[in-house]
Amino acid sequence: MLTVLDAKVENPDVEKRTYQLVLNFGHHQSNVRLFCKEENNKTKVMLVAVMEGRCPCCGKPNCPSLSQRGDELLAQVCELDAFKAKASAGESLVF
């Protein structure tokens, strides 16, 4: 099972309501990004990408199963201390 240890927000666009979440799993030196968009007070994962290194779940440079786990990874981000208060209050994670 993948466990997100930390996440940071990059490239927020207030007009388009989009941003990227850079995820840290603590191994494989991978840089996994969730490309997110907020619509109707909900965050939607538009794309999951391994930007550098290898997939944290299988070690491959390109992993189709990681792309299918965007919602699961977003849920883990919402449980991190830095995002938990906003997520539980139903607020935007970024804006």
Side-chain angles (χ1 to χ4, degrees):
M1 180 177 149
L2 285 176
T3 302
V4 177
L5 301 178
D6 188 26
K8 67 179 180 177
V9 176
E10 288 190 352
N11 304 319
D13 185 324
V14 176
E15 280 186 30
K16 294 180 182 177
R17 308 285 295 174
T18 59
Y19 54 90
Q20 298 171 25
L21 290 169
V22 181
L23 309 182
N24 174 16
F25 298 96
H27 53 64
H28 290 294
Q29 300 299 317
S30 56
N31 182 347
V32 175
R33 292 176 183 253
L34 301 182
F35 292 80
C36 302
K37 180 173 180 105
E38 290 192 0
E39 295 177 331
N40 302 322
N41 296 327
K42 294 196 180 217
T43 302
K44 183 176 180 181
V45 177
M46 306 302 286
L47 176 70
V48 179
V50 177
M51 303 302 287
E52 297 172 7
R54 300 191 172 271
C55 173
C57 68
C58 66
K60 295 179 183 175
N62 198 351
C63 176
S65 68
L66 184 66
S67 297
Q68 298 170 0
R69 300 172 85 173
D71 292 333
E72 172 191 332
L73 296 172
L74 180 61
Q76 286 189 44
V77 169
C78 290
E79 290 299 315
L80 295 172
D81 288 340
F83 299 96
K84 194 170 191 170
K86 285 186 169 189
S88 63
E91 296 178 12
S92 166
L93 295 180
V94 177
F95 305 107

